Amino acid sequence: MSSVMLAGMHLLLSGIVGSVAYGLSGPGSDIDRIGVFAAPTAAFHGLHPPRESVVTTNPDTTRHEAAKYLRLALGGNPTATELMWLPDDCYETRTEFGERLIGIRSALLSAPRVRDAYLGYAGQQFRKLESRGNGTFSADTRRRTAKHARHLARLVHQGRLLYATGVLEIRLAHPEWFRAFGERVAGGELDEARTLLAEAEQDFDRTRSPLPDRPDEATAERWLLDVRAAHLPPALSRESQRRGARGARPPETGSISSTSTPPKPITDQPTPS
């Protein structure tokens, strides 16, 4: 697809995430979307730089500017990461830069950040479950509790698999297990969620991950700089392409270079009469 303009922003990659992508959606499930956009490069040099994220409801959509998205992905953020691993039928926008981003997805991963992010978010879901009590609550609260439990189990499963293999499974192979787990926990089986989280922590500790200790930031930087160059104003973009084709040039007359003679300092000595 071609780039989509969002008030001057170019949408590079977007898709449906959440329960629909996981295969866990049911009647009344929300449809969540996430995307990456590029702001005009010149806009970063004004008094009011572009927004890093644009979040809307009805429909539920989150879009991150390219640099913000990379920071999230490099940090192991599960929601940001899954955009690069979606099944083909979940993508709604795939530009050339979006395809390139998918192509470098493994370079953005690192073992410590995957472990910390997935266990961290799973721990947040467990704390929400603890605050719900013993299962004696309204039907609506029970529904939300089952959802938190499914999120916990899904984060644990995806995180362990990604940490152990370097591959992120988005569409779950056995969605019925996650639904049943959610219902059991919502019915009061909080200890089952506690045990699952504890076992996951132990599993991370004893697994030797193929992922590196640090992500490849140089690869991420090259992608981002190419995005910035492509979204210069047309005249500047053409000049940038011409310079790139010609290669490096010597400094122009009057420019300061590392080999030029520095100017003499100005002093406060009076001018002789």
Side-chain angles (χ1 to χ4, degrees):
M1 296 182 184
S2 61
S3 294
V4 179
M5 294 296 292
L6 297 169
M9 311 302 183
H10 294 263
L11 190 59
L12 306 178
L13 185 67
S14 70
I16 296 174
V17 294
S19 60
V20 174
Y22 309 143
L24 292 175
S25 60
S29 293
D30 296 329
I31 298 178
D32 301 312
R33 292 175 169 87
I34 187 171
V36 185
F37 68 88
T41 301
F44 291 93
H45 300 282
L47 291 175
H48 304 288
R51 294 169 62 181
E52 288 193 316
S53 298
V54 178
V55 180
T56 63
T57 56
N58 194 28
D60 294 324
T61 303
T62 299
R63 293 182 174 125
H64 298 299
E65 208 284 319
K68 169 71 173 294
Y69 176 83
L70 281 182
R71 290 195 296 272
L72 290 171
L74 289 166
N77 180 278
T79 306
T81 299
E82 72 181 58
L83 175 60
M84 298 177 287
W85 296 82
L86 291 176
D88 287 343
D89 62 307
C90 286
Y91 284 111
E92 297 181 318
T93 302
R94 293 178 72 160
T95 66
E96 179 183 349
F97 279 114
E99 294 289 355
R100 286 180 55 186
L101 184 60
I102 293 171
I104 64 170
R105 61 191 181 185
S106 294
L108 307 183
L109 299 172
S110 62
R113 296 179 190 182
V114 165
R115 181 190 190 282
D116 292 346
Y118 279 83
L119 280 180
Y121 279 92
Q124 288 181 14
Q125 298 299 322
F126 181 74
R127 288 189 288 276
K128 290 178 181 179
L129 293 173
E130 282 189 310
S131 68
R132 296 294 187 189
N134 61 2
T136 56
F137 32 62
S138 68
D140 184 61
T141 301
R142 182 185 177 111
R143 180 182 60 82
R144 291 197 303 271
T145 301
K147 182 177 179 179
H148 291 316
R150 290 195 301 271
H151 279 319
L152 185 155
R154 187 259 311 166
L155 284 162
V156 163
H157 170 75
Q158 289 179 323
R160 290 160 96 170
L161 189 62
L162 180 58
Y163 189 82
T165 68
V167 176
L168 180 59
E169 179 186 277
I170 299 297
R171 187 148 292 153
L172 302 172
H174 303 287
E176 64 281 356
W177 183 90
F178 294 86
R179 294 192 189 97
F181 175 84
E183 293 303 319
R184 290 196 301 273
V185 173
E189 297 297 328
L190 183 61
D191 283 344
E192 188 173 352
R194 181 181 288 107
T195 298
L196 182 66
L197 186 57
E199 289 176 348
E201 292 175 347
Q202 295 171 6
D203 200 27
F204 274 104
D205 289 341
R206 61 174 171 254
T207 298
R208 184 173 181 178
S209 177
L211 298 176
D213 289 335
R214 294 185 59 81
D216 184 354
E217 292 190 2
T219 293
E221 182 85 348
R222 284 193 297 272
W223 179 84
L224 181 59
L225 291 178
D226 286 347
V227 169
R228 294 288 182 251
H231 292 88
L232 286 165
L236 290 177
S237 180
R238 288 193 295 271
E239 178 62 21
S240 175
Q241 291 171 3
R242 284 197 297 269
R243 289 185 178 184
R246 289 196 298 263
R249 296 188 303 166
E252 297 178 1
T253 303
S255 66
I256 297 175
S257 73
S258 59
T259 59
S260 62
T261 303
K264 294 181 179 180
I266 299 174
T267 68
D268 294 329
Q269 295 176 354
T271 304
S273 57

